[in-house]
């Protein structure tokens, strides 16, 4: 390992990323010499950026929107999660070779482990959305033994692509199928961008949902999305998406800096303060 390992997060745009705050907190907490910075790279410049990583002395870094698919294509070696999800969010070097991994599925599952141990016993899930985030969630659900995963999407063909990709346990549906599907599932996950600050709300009628259903959202700004609010008001258990962001960061940190960091309430409070109006320092 380098004396002072350097890592980064890259995306386009990148200034709103909270990854520097998270990794900076861990570097300080564990007393490590090293750095983690945000680097904005346009899609056109991304291949050259990745190809030049070794020369610039980086140990690796995180990749976010819109580069995850391109990073997948540019890595010589990939872990199993990246291969199945078709996207890379973490880069590192091993024996001189550039590896790409995907820690989003780990982040999703670890967040639920933390707030609802045993959640995987639910076995049936409804996944709203069929983009990149949906693939990571489906991969996590499959790994945790879910036998029925219903994917609901505006564009049904995209949901069908996921059913083809992930096999028999995944079925595809349009939004009209929701009332019936809700009766069947113990877990409801929003992976669409709906409900995010500045986007349209996600309004779904939860009246047919099972009373024991657990509801979670990968959107974490706002922390309580309209879906989570509706679920809470309906008496359902909810888990917000912030923990997914925090947990997906841990495996990369360990690869670059050699310490497996802990996701603590203290870290959560720090990121929440940064999200509060006027809290952002960037
Ligand atoms: P990501 O990779 O972050 O998941 P994405 O690939 O753009 O992002 O996927 C966004 C998801 O949000 C998709 O499922 C998209 O539905 P379509 O596949 O039909 O586009 C969903 N989405 C975005 N805006 C939506 C809207 N206004 N109504 C319904 N679904 C929407």
């Amino acid at each position: 390992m380098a004396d002072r390992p350097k890592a980064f997060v890259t995306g386009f745009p990148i200034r709103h990323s909270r990854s520097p705050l998270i990794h900076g907190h861990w570097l300080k907490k564990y007393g490590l010499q090293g750095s983690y910075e945000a680097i904005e790279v346009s899609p056109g410049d991304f291949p050259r950026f990745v190809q030049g990583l070794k020369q610039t002395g980086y140990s690796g870094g995180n990749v976010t929107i819109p580069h995850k698919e391109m990073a997948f294509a540019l890595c010589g070696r990939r872990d199993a999660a990246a291969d199945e999800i078709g996207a890379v969010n973490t880069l590192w070097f091993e024996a001189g070779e550039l590896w790409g991994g995907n820690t989003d599925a780990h982040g999703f599952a670890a967040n639920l482990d933390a707030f609802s141990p045993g959640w995987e016993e639910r076995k049936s899930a409804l996944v709203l959305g069929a983009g990149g985030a949906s693939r990571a969630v489906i991969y996590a659900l499959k790994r945790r033994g879910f036998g029925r995963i219903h994917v609901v999407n505006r564009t049904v063909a995209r949901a069908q692509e996921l059913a083809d990709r992930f096999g028999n346990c995944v079925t595809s549906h349009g939004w009209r199928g929701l009332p019936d599907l809700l009766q069947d599932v113990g877990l409801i996950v929003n992976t669409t961008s709906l409900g995010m600050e500045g986007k349209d709300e996600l309004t779904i009628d939860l009246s047919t949902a099972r009373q024991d259903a657990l509801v979670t959202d990968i959107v974490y700004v706002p922390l309580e999305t309209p879906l989570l609010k509706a679920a809470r008001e309906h008496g359902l258990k909810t888990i917000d998406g912030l923990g997914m962001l925090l947990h997906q960061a841990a495996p990369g940190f360990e690869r670059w800096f050699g310490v497996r960091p802990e996701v603590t309430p203290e870290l959560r409070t720090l990121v929440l303060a940064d999200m509060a109006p006027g809290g952002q320092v960037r």
Side-chain angles (χ1 to χ4, degrees), residues 9 11-13 21 43 46 64 68 74 110 115 142 163-164 170 183 205 233-234 245 253 261-262 265 271 273:
V9 59
F12 191 73
L21 184 65
F46 188 71
T64 187
K68 290 183 184 184
L74 290 167
F115 288 105
K142 261 192 86 169
D164 295 343
V170 179
Q183 298 177 26
D205 179 2
E233 287 169 357
H234 211 72
L245 171 76
F253 187 92
E262 232 189 310
V271 177

Side-chain angles (χ1 to χ4, degrees), residues 128-130 151-159 173-175 192-194 200:
L128 304 168
V151 180
V152 167
N153 200 44
R154 176 177 59 183
T155 313
V156 183
R158 286 188 87 192
H173 312 266
W175 285 90
T192 73
S193 46
L194 294 174
D200 288 344

Side-chain angles (χ1 to χ4, degrees), residues 201-216:
E201 280 200 9
L202 173 60
T203 41
I204 70 170
D205 179 2
L206 292 168
S207 57
T208 56
R210 280 170 29 187
Q211 266 310 297
D212 65 341
L214 174 64
V215 183
T216 185

Side-chain angles (χ1 to χ4, degrees), residues 148-171:
R148 287 199 313 288
I149 304 168
H150 305 300
V151 180
V152 167
N153 200 44
R154 176 177 59 183
T155 313
V156 183
R158 286 188 87 192
Q160 185 54 43
E161 276 170 33
L162 297 192
D164 295 343
R165 182 184 191 106
F166 287 102
N168 284 343
C169 58
V170 179
T171 57

